[in-house]
Amino acid sequence: QQQVKQSPQSLIVQKGGISIINCAYENTAFDYFPWYQQFPGKGPALLIAIRPDVSEKKEGRFTISFNKSAKQFSLHIMDSQPGDSATYFCAVKTGANNLFFGTGTRLTVIP
Amino acid sequence: KAGVTQTPRYLIKTRGQQVTLSCSPISGHRSVSWYQQTPGQGLQFLFEYFSETQRNKGNFPGRFSGRQFSNSRSEMNVSTLELGDSALYLCASSPGPSSTDTQYFGPGTRLTVL
């Protein structure tokens, strides 16, 4: 049973463009919503995270938008760069220290 | 600070064998979680340890087990290996067991079962 649904599966963006990845969940008990970035041969690395009492969080070129009523959250990457090409995972946590991951989005940024 | 380290990085085993993977958390981190990553099932939670006690367990058979030592280092063991156990096994450490504690991942151990 997938706790969080992630889309799209893959994304191709021109350099300088905006990359948008979406996630949806059902369980309203989730209380922590991180995004991870993974390069081939590496473990996932935390990009940015948000709690449900905040609607938006920005760190550099990365922004999480959180819609509690719609049970959706998204990652926006502004001014996308070729170095951003990686697989991105959304995740959720509920009261316990275990992450439920989305299925991942493979982002390719074309120079 | 050194990151999460996992050993070995690569392993090749045959069906029926058992394997032990090791994880050293970031200094000062007391919670260690294990995840399995496969192309078909994605990233799935195996179990979490804090203060040498298993706090949470994912939906995996009993062939998968783990433990944590007093220095917070952790090991996971898979017995009677099956072909489907081929995966990247990731260890993550966090300062404590809170749901809002950030988990920092190691590079993983790539297990191939022949």
Side-chain angles (χ1 to χ4, degrees):
Chain A
Q1 179 185 352
Q2 197 69 34
Q3 300 278 0
V4 58
K5 295 182 180 178
Q6 183 173 346
S7 63
Q9 190 173 4
S10 62
L11 183 61
I12 300 174
V13 173
Q14 293 278 350
K15 178 183 174 183
I18 302 174
S19 304
I20 302 174
I21 305 170
N22 301 298
C23 283
Y25 63 96
E26 285 298 323
N27 188 342
T28 55
F30 292 138
D31 61 1
Y32 185 66
F33 302 83
W35 284 90
Y36 281 83
Q37 177 190 56
Q38 186 176 28
F39 292 103
K42 305 284 188 183
L46 178 72
L47 257 184
I48 187 171
I50 200 168
R51 297 186 66 175
D53 53 348
V54 177
S55 61
E56 185 175 282
K57 183 176 180 180
K58 183 176 180 180
E59 289 184 1
R61 296 185 295 110
F62 302 94
T63 300
I64 295 181
S65 296
F66 185 79
N67 187 329
K68 191 173 183 177
S69 59
K71 291 185 280 188
Q72 295 176 350
F73 59 110
S74 60
L75 175 70
H76 296 234
I77 305 174
M78 313 299 287
D79 187 26
S80 298
Q81 299 295 313
D84 296 331
S85 297
T87 300
Y88 293 81
F89 294 93
C90 63
V92 294
K93 274 195 198 180
T94 169
N97 194 22
N98 51 288
L99 290 160
F100 296 101
F101 283 92
T103 49
T105 296
R106 181 171 292 183
L107 171 66
T108 303
V109 181
I110 300 172
Chain B
K1 255 186 192 178
V4 178
T5 57
Q6 293 187 244
T7 56
R9 291 294 311 279
Y10 303 92
L11 264 179
I12 300 176
K13 293 285 187 179
T14 56
R15 278 180 298 173
Q17 287 187 309
Q18 76 166 25
V19 67
T20 299
L21 313 181
S22 181
C23 171
S24 292
I26 292 171
S27 177
H29 285 195
R30 297 173 61 200
S31 175
V32 173
S33 300
W34 289 88
Y35 294 82
Q36 181 196 64
Q37 186 173 26
T38 60
Q41 299 298 316
L43 279 152
Q44 293 186 287
F45 170 74
L46 280 157
F47 27 66
E48 182 211 3
Y49 286 87
F50 176 74
S51 291
E52 302 177 65
T53 301
Q54 186 181 90
R55 287 173 48 88
N56 295 294
K57 190 177 192 305
N59 189 25
F60 280 81
R63 299 185 296 107
F64 292 81
S65 63
R67 60 177 175 168
Q68 186 181 34
F69 303 94
S70 58
N71 62 359
S72 296
R73 194 176 67 84
S74 177
E75 289 181 346
M76 70 163 279
N77 184 76
V78 188
S79 62
T80 320
L81 283 166
E82 301 177 359
L83 294 178
D85 296 333
S86 293
L88 181 67
Y89 289 89
L90 292 158
C91 167
S93 77
S94 57
S98 167
S99 65
T100 54
D101 278 344
T102 298
Q103 292 194 1
Y104 298 88
F105 284 81
T109 294
R110 173 75 62 185
L111 172 64
T112 302
V113 182
L114 302 175

